[in-house]
Amino acid sequence: MVCSVGLVKVRGGVTVDERHWLMRPPAGHDEFSPWNVRVHGISAGSVARLPRWRDFLPRVVDFIDGDVLVAHNASFDASVLCQACEVDGLETPDLEYVCTRDMAKELWPLSDYKLPTVMKAVGKVMVGHHDALADARAVVAVVDGMR
């Protein structure tokens, strides 16, 4: 369930703004498995005093402001957003996605299509993988490297 969102806004190939939010997942879906904590480093204690997803969704939608989202494994991100909205009884925003994982599969025969591997394919090194903002920054680098 959603506990972190990182977004980078790009205009004309230049980063013009960034946002990163930590939040408590929707009530009843706020268990943090040890595996997930190891992956992204966010625990229940990290977000215990923060507002819940429902409080952050308007900020996320305002920041996106109708832009097309570019994400790595976008279907996963979209499913998390949809699940969080459904659980909280919120309308899922109508967002358009492009997936760098899918794009990489069309461009290159790689051993896998994880974000660090695709970063390497464009000559970059992944830093901070599974941190939402670091991953968003990496997606910008991947798109830039695909040009």
Side-chain angles (χ1 to χ4, degrees):
M1 195 52 66
V2 66
C3 61
S4 179
V5 174
L7 298 169
V8 176
K9 190 170 288 224
V10 176
R11 294 286 183 265
V14 177
T15 295
V16 296
D17 203 356
E18 297 181 340
R19 290 287 189 281
H20 182 240
W21 297 279
L22 290 176
M23 74 265 325
R24 282 188 299 155
H29 295 268
D30 46 7
E31 293 289 324
F32 284 76
S33 75
W35 184 85
N36 284 338
V37 172
R38 278 192 306 276
V39 167
H40 55 55
I42 303 168
S43 67
S46 303
V47 298
R49 292 191 166 89
L50 296 177
R52 293 202 182 268
W53 164 247
R54 68 171 28 268
D55 301 308
F56 282 95
L57 180 60
R59 297 179 208 179
V60 170
V61 171
D62 284 347
F63 184 80
I64 295 168
D65 193 27
D67 287 340
V68 174
L69 295 173
V70 182
H72 197 78
N73 198 4
S75 62
F76 171 79
D77 291 345
S79 72
V80 170
L81 182 135
C82 288
Q83 289 171 2
C85 288
E86 182 179 322
V87 165
D88 259 347
L90 303 171
E91 185 176 330
T92 301
D94 185 22
L95 302 171
E96 186 178 346
Y97 295 89
V98 175
C99 182
T100 54
R101 183 174 177 253
D102 292 346
M103 292 165 63
K105 285 181 175 184
E106 291 182 21
L107 291 173
W108 305 300
L110 302 174
S111 60
D112 64 65
Y113 293 89
K114 296 176 183 174
L115 187 52
T117 306
V118 175
M119 282 285 286
K120 188 174 180 181
V122 298
K124 304 286 183 176
V125 175
M126 181 77 222
V127 177
H129 188 37
H130 294 300
D131 171 89
L133 185 55
D135 286 357
R137 289 173 177 154
V139 165
V140 171
V142 166
V143 170
D144 189 48
M146 288 178 167
R147 293 178 194 209

